[in-house]
Amino acid sequence: MHERRVENRASTEREPMKNKEYRRLLRPLHAELASLQEWVKSSGARICIVFEGRDTAGKGGVIKAITERVSPRVFRVVALPAPTEREKSQMYIQRYLPHFPAGGEVVIFDRSWYNRAGVERVMNFCTEEESRRFLEIIPTVERTIVDSGIILLKYWLEVSQEQQTLRLQGRIDDPRKTWKLSDLDLKSYSRWYDYSRARDEMFHFTDTGWAPWYVVVNDDKKRGRLNVIAHLLSQVPYEPLERLDFTLPERQSADGYRAPTQPLHWIPTPY
């Protein structure tokens, strides 16, 4: 995928979606995700979803939208910290493998083994030789993952330069968001085209027939979240299970129960 094509698609201008419309459209998608969850549990399916993208591209928001109405015991989010000294001596993908899904699980990687093709390469945390070797090997690794029966979905979230600037400045100005900001983010900001070149080479080597990259234009976060969920649902051959008919039973009688007289520590109610 050529750089110009990705950059142009990311800068497409559309009217920002209003929150009321977003919530209206998200509700049925959440219902489908709940159906997907039940199918995964009953079928023993294994699904692995990778989210990559530029800084501030909205990976966390997309993942939150996917997981906010499903069980964390089925949908597990993996966001690994920087590798330890021991992990640095391992085969590169080794520390990710223990987090792969077992039967009845959906694992979402908030950044993944593709760090080696992106931030590690651009910021010189690995050598060019190490990055190139990774790019040559990983398609075969992913073929093995897919051949084992795991459904592997890879999403790249793209954002325009203008939106990235606005979002980073928002993190600087908003005390609720400063935890998202790091020195690495600021260093990365100045190297837009280094990241573009790294992304393009990553696509060239790893956008395969068995594990393609799906590119998401995410300047409008609400539209991006809806588009990702709709696409995700279209990529999994789940079958909605018959909905159970639940009826609340009658409550038991008090049978002499009395509330205790022990004083309790009620919290203040300023709201």
Side-chain angles (χ1 to χ4, degrees), residues 41-245:
K41 289 164 57 179
S42 66
S43 67
R46 295 171 292 158
I47 302 176
C48 181
I49 307 171
V50 169
F51 282 103
E52 293 286 348
R54 294 187 184 273
D55 290 331
T56 77
K59 295 179 290 297
V62 170
I63 292 170
K64 182 178 179 180
I66 293 171
T67 59
E68 65 179 320
R69 296 292 182 177
V70 291
S71 170
R73 287 184 287 274
V74 178
F75 281 74
R76 293 195 292 110
V77 178
V78 177
L80 298 185
T84 64
E85 289 302 316
R86 180 177 185 276
E87 289 171 333
K88 289 178 182 178
S89 70
Q90 296 174 343
M91 181 176 64
Y92 183 73
I93 199 173
Q94 186 172 339
R95 76 188 191 115
Y96 295 95
L97 294 177
H99 301 279
F100 271 51
E105 291 182 341
V106 179
V107 171
I108 300 174
F109 282 96
D110 184 352
R111 292 203 181 275
S112 67
W113 46 95
Y114 280 101
N115 279 338
R116 174 128 298 183
V119 63
E120 289 192 10
R121 182 179 189 182
V122 173
M123 303 308 294
N124 298 317
F125 296 153
C126 69
T127 66
E128 281 292 317
E129 181 181 351
E130 287 172 330
S131 179
R132 177 55 66 92
R133 182 63 177 154
F134 166 81
L135 290 172
E136 291 172 347
I137 291 174
I138 203 63
T140 302
V141 174
E142 292 179 349
R143 184 59 183 261
T144 302
I145 293 169
V146 172
D147 286 349
S148 76
I150 292 175
I151 297 173
L152 176 61
L153 299 173
K154 303 186 307 191
Y155 290 100
W156 174 271
L157 273 58
E158 189 63 36
V159 66
S160 66
Q161 294 188 53
E162 295 76 15
Q163 271 297 313
Q164 188 182 62
T165 299
L166 288 173
R167 292 176 189 179
L168 279 172
Q169 190 62 52
R171 292 181 181 182
I172 294 171
D173 297 338
D174 190 337
R176 299 171 300 174
K177 299 178 181 180
T178 51
W179 66 271
K180 295 183 177 182
L181 197 62
S182 69
D183 291 340
L184 187 60
D185 293 329
L186 299 178
K187 292 177 182 177
S188 298
Y189 176 78
S190 65
R191 305 184 68 170
W192 177 273
Y193 290 105
D194 287 343
Y195 273 96
S196 294
R197 294 183 184 96
R199 175 205 61 202
D200 294 346
E201 189 164 8
M202 181 187 75
F203 285 168
H204 174 74
F205 279 92
T206 65
D207 185 21
T208 60
W210 55 89
W213 279 103
Y214 297 109
V215 181
V216 183
V217 178
N218 206 37
D219 272 15
D220 185 333
K221 292 180 180 180
K222 295 182 178 65
R223 294 185 191 279
R225 293 166 191 169
L226 296 172
N227 289 332
V228 168
I229 296 174
H231 183 269
L232 189 164
L233 291 167
S234 75
Q235 296 302 300
V236 181
Y238 73 101
E239 299 177 2
L241 302 180
E242 183 178 353
R243 186 172 179 178
L244 299 176
D245 184 14

Side-chain angles (χ1 to χ4, degrees), residues 244-250:
L244 299 176
D245 184 14
F246 291 104
T247 302
L248 290 174
E250 293 185 8

